Amino acid sequence: MDPDAYLDINRNTLSVIIHNLLDNAVKFTKNGNISIDSEVTRNTTVIIIKDNGTGMSPSQIEYYTSLHKNIDNEKLLLQKYGMGLHLVLQLAHILRATIELENNTPSGVVFRIIINNIADE
């Protein structure tokens, strides 16, 4: 991560998001690798968490992507896949951050937490 990166958001909320994503990566990665990195531009900070664990099914990725895009209108179906990522999506919404997820090649998941660096005026 960039040691000079500075975010003007609630660090406890961001910490819960990162902790949950790392916890899931550890849970589903046996004898593999997990990495966390960042990309900082003038307008955004992107935190990237990658693993090469078991990954997610295409239907899970589609479900979470759709849920994140429509978080205000969707009812949370916590029994569908579990509570952790639902919590992450809700907290990202509070921070006005975007979560992108995709399968890592050849296995695992890549999560991107995209945070706008420009404060609302």
Side-chain angles (χ1 to χ4, degrees):
M1 299 225 6
D2 182 347
D4 296 323
Y6 175 79
L7 299 172
D8 188 21
I9 60 173
N10 185 303
R11 71 179 180 173
N12 291 328
T13 304
L14 182 59
S15 175
V16 170
I17 292 171
I18 292 171
H19 182 271
N20 186 283
L21 294 177
L22 287 174
D23 186 53
N24 283 345
V26 168
K27 191 182 316 178
F28 294 106
T29 304
K30 305 279 189 249
N31 298 319
N33 296 306
I34 300 167
S35 66
I36 184 167
D37 203 358
S38 66
E39 297 171 357
V40 179
T41 68
R42 182 173 180 216
N43 297 326
T44 62
T45 297
V46 182
I47 300 169
I48 304 152
I49 300 173
K50 260 186 219 188
D51 69 66
N52 62 354
T54 57
M56 298 174 92
S57 70
S59 63
Q60 284 175 300
I61 289 189
E62 182 180 331
Y63 170 78
Y64 286 116
T65 300
S66 175
L67 181 62
H68 182 61
K69 288 180 181 176
N70 299 299
I71 198 93
D72 287 329
N73 302 323
E74 295 285 338
K75 292 184 180 176
L76 295 181
L77 303 173
L78 297 180
Q79 72 279 5
K80 178 111 183 183
Y81 291 118
M83 194 166 72
L85 288 179
H86 290 91
L87 172 67
V88 164
L89 297 178
Q90 286 290 327
L91 292 174
H93 182 68
I94 290 168
L95 293 180
R96 297 184 184 156
T98 302
I99 301 279
E100 293 179 353
L101 60 150
E102 65 184 82
N103 277 316
N104 197 5
T105 302
S107 66
V109 181
V110 178
F111 282 92
R112 287 181 187 82
I113 307 163
I114 304 165
I115 304 163
N116 189 348
N117 293 342
I118 301 171
D120 292 337
E121 298 187 23

